[in-house]
Amino acid sequence: MVATTLNPTRPQIHGQWHWLPGLPRPWIVLVPDVRQAALSRPLSRHLLPSHAGFFPEAREHRVRREVGIGSTIFKYCVRGTGWCELAGRRFEVGPGDLLVVPQGLPHAYGAHPDRPWTLHWVQAMGEDVPHFLRELGVDGEHPVVRLGPNPALVGLFEEVHRELGSACAPRNVLFASQVLTHLLGLAIRLRHEAIQATPDARQRVLASAAYMRDHPERSGDVETLASTVGLSPSHYSALFRATTGLSPKQYFIRFQIERAQQLLSTTCDSIKVIANRLGFDDPMYFSRVFRRVNGMAPSEFRR
């Protein structure tokens, strides 16, 4: 068999737990030897769905993994709400959101009991997964992408699920991999359309960038910046990256260092004074950041 159906009703061990009583439908898992065979073939090694499923109103759906897994998780919420924890932060997930948990990251997620989510989901492996994540603008700090409701996307999730569970032939696995490519391509398109459809939000993001430039001594904390423009941190970060090509933190640090270059070139202030003016309490940390960006220490730059 190429696939196994799973529906556990008790927690697993070894630093992981799954609690899924009452999930009414099984999910599909490609067994390891089939996965390895598919990942060795030219047309399926770039992107392979290794697991797929559908959880309607999954009230008791809770998962915690202290060690990440060997595939990337994509969960598309069509109704209800849920949550995810990554890198010590909690993210909310609602209808029209795509939750992405990159390979290898410890994580936890689950449904809100009062309004449990309904999910279409797939886990993916292959050489091209990191490229798709970059196009989606997601990583461990930005795992939620706003796509909006889309019946075509739901249909592609269903087709991956159906094809993986239909037969043992390599052609079915190959077809499922190509459907997954279509699915992620559509998700990328929807993400960009969602960003372009909110000019007011983009203007607010640009206003926050101007605020950073005017106040290089202030903190570049994403939560604070997002709240000042009335957006969630995940939505704000996605819009900021799409608008500027950088994350808010990267943008803020780059501007701080550009300002430091100006001060080093045009004033006689000490490095400690310049660091303090730019919001760095520790001059040594300022010097490390400056060296990382410029390839030389502030004193070398001044000379």
Side-chain angles (χ1 to χ4, degrees), residues 216-219 252 256 273-282:
E217 77 287 356
R218 302 283 180 87
S219 170
F252 186 67
Q256 282 183 308
V273 168
I274 291 173
N276 286 334
R277 287 179 64 180
L278 295 174
F280 290 88
D281 296 329
D282 183 354

Side-chain angles (χ1 to χ4, degrees), residues 11 30 43 50 58 85 93 118 122 124 128 133 148 160 178 196 244 262 271 279 284:
L30 292 185
L43 294 179
S50 59
E85 292 178 0
V93 182
T118 291
V122 66
D128 285 352
L133 298 192
V160 171
Q178 302 310 303
Q196 293 169 2
T244 67
Q262 295 173 356
I271 292 173
M284 296 300 293

Side-chain angles (χ1 to χ4, degrees), residues 176-192:
S177 75
Q178 302 310 303
V179 174
L180 180 58
T181 300
H182 186 182
L183 186 158
L184 294 180
L186 177 58
I188 291 167
R189 179 179 179 179
L190 292 172
R191 170 186 177 262
H192 287 291

Side-chain angles (χ1 to χ4, degrees), residues 173-243:
V173 178
L174 171 60
F175 184 75
S177 75
Q178 302 310 303
V179 174
L180 180 58
T181 300
H182 186 182
L183 186 158
L184 294 180
L186 177 58
I188 291 167
R189 179 179 179 179
L190 292 172
R191 170 186 177 262
H192 287 291
E193 288 178 350
I195 291 170
Q196 293 169 2
T198 55
D200 178 64
R202 292 177 66 211
Q203 289 301 317
R204 283 183 278 165
V205 165
L206 292 174
S208 75
Y211 178 84
M212 292 186 203
R213 294 193 299 271
D214 293 338
H215 301 86
E217 77 287 356
R218 302 283 180 87
S219 170
D221 177 68
V222 172
E223 286 78 7
T224 300
L225 291 167
S227 66
T228 62
V229 295
L231 298 171
S232 70
S234 59
H235 191 193
Y236 171 78
S237 296
L239 283 171
F240 197 100
R241 188 185 292 271
T243 303

Side-chain angles (χ1 to χ4, degrees), residues 125-191:
M125 311 172 77
E127 300 170 357
D128 285 352
V129 172
H131 305 304
F132 281 105
L133 298 192
R134 279 194 291 273
E135 287 295 325
L136 282 167
V138 298
D139 54 32
E141 296 183 353
H142 311 95
V144 181
V145 185
R146 177 64 184 168
L147 303 181
N150 189 275
L153 193 62
V154 169
L156 291 170
F157 273 100
E158 291 175 340
E159 192 161 8
V160 171
H161 189 195
R162 182 169 57 249
E163 198 65 27
L164 284 185
S166 64
C168 302
R171 65 177 179 271
N172 297 92
V173 178
L174 171 60
F175 184 75
S177 75
Q178 302 310 303
V179 174
L180 180 58
T181 300
H182 186 182
L183 186 158
L184 294 180
L186 177 58
I188 291 167
R189 179 179 179 179
L190 292 172
R191 170 186 177 262

